Amino acid sequence: MTLQLEHVTKRFGAVTAVDNATLTIPEGNLFGFLGANGAGKTTTFRMILGLLEPTEGTITWNGGKIDYSKSHLIGYLPEERGLYPKLKVKEQLIYLGRLRGMEKAAIIKEMEAWLERFNVPEYAEKRVEELSKGNQQKIQFIAAVLHKPKLLILDEPFSGLDPVNVELLKEAVIDLKNNGTTIVFSSHRMEHVEELCEHLCIMHRGRPVVYGSLKEVKRSFGKKNIIIHAD
Ligand code: ATP
């Protein structure tokens, strides 16, 4: 199953957020989008998620339209985090897991395994507002993967995390990839993309200017005058 973008463009009035992007993301790939603020990464993700319609071009999964009614297909960590502050972590995840068609017992089992893995089993009973931003991000990550999606979209998953949590999340991402999940993520930082990705593209002003394996991208990246801003 391949995620395919063909000549995808998205315009907002006079602004071209994504400009004629053609990309192939094979099943099981860990694919990175690297680019500065405003390069078009989030807009690309929102089109893959079906939240925005491309102005031109097509996005297909396994050769056909993406069936968004299959709630278990996609997992999404949005750039703007959004949890319910007053709910306990457990309540939050039960609510979100049920929206994905999961049974309560399965949600709790998955939640406990992830909290254990992130060394915070006691967070199940804490209200979201009691957690630091970084820990809320881990909970949001768990919400994105709870239902074992085939395609996982992570928008800036490492931003705002301390180095220990960056490592925890990276290991989780690698394990999910090794279990067959197709993962697409964005970052401003070459080192995150470089460490994790088999394939990547560098977005610049809406265009995937360089695209391919890490080796290919590194080779051509050196020849192009593109500035990627740090976080
Ligand atoms: P960031 O890292 O800041 O999230 P990005 O690479 O994800 O950046 P996008 O958020 O996709 O970039 O934005 C690409 C361009 O499209 C920017 O110029 C942005 O201002 C514009 N844009 C995005 N969404 C809209 C919208 N709904 N209406 C108008 N312009 C938009």
Side-chain angles (χ1 to χ4, degrees), residues 12 15 17 36-44 46 79 156 188:
F12 298 104
V15 177
N37 283 326
K41 307 179 296 295
T42 298
T43 304
T44 303
R46 289 184 180 152
E79 187 181 17
E156 305 272 354
H188 292 188

Side-chain angles (χ1 to χ4, degrees), residues 82-84 87-97 128:
L83 296 168
Y84 300 102
L87 285 188
K88 286 181 181 173
V89 165
K90 186 175 170 182
E91 296 164 339
Q92 179 88 215
L93 293 174
I94 289 171
Y95 172 69
L96 294 171
V128 166

Side-chain angles (χ1 to χ4, degrees), residues 24 38 41 76 90 94 145 156 163 182 193:
T24 303
K41 307 179 296 295
Y76 178 42
K90 186 175 170 182
I94 289 171
V145 300
E156 305 272 354
T182 306
V193 177

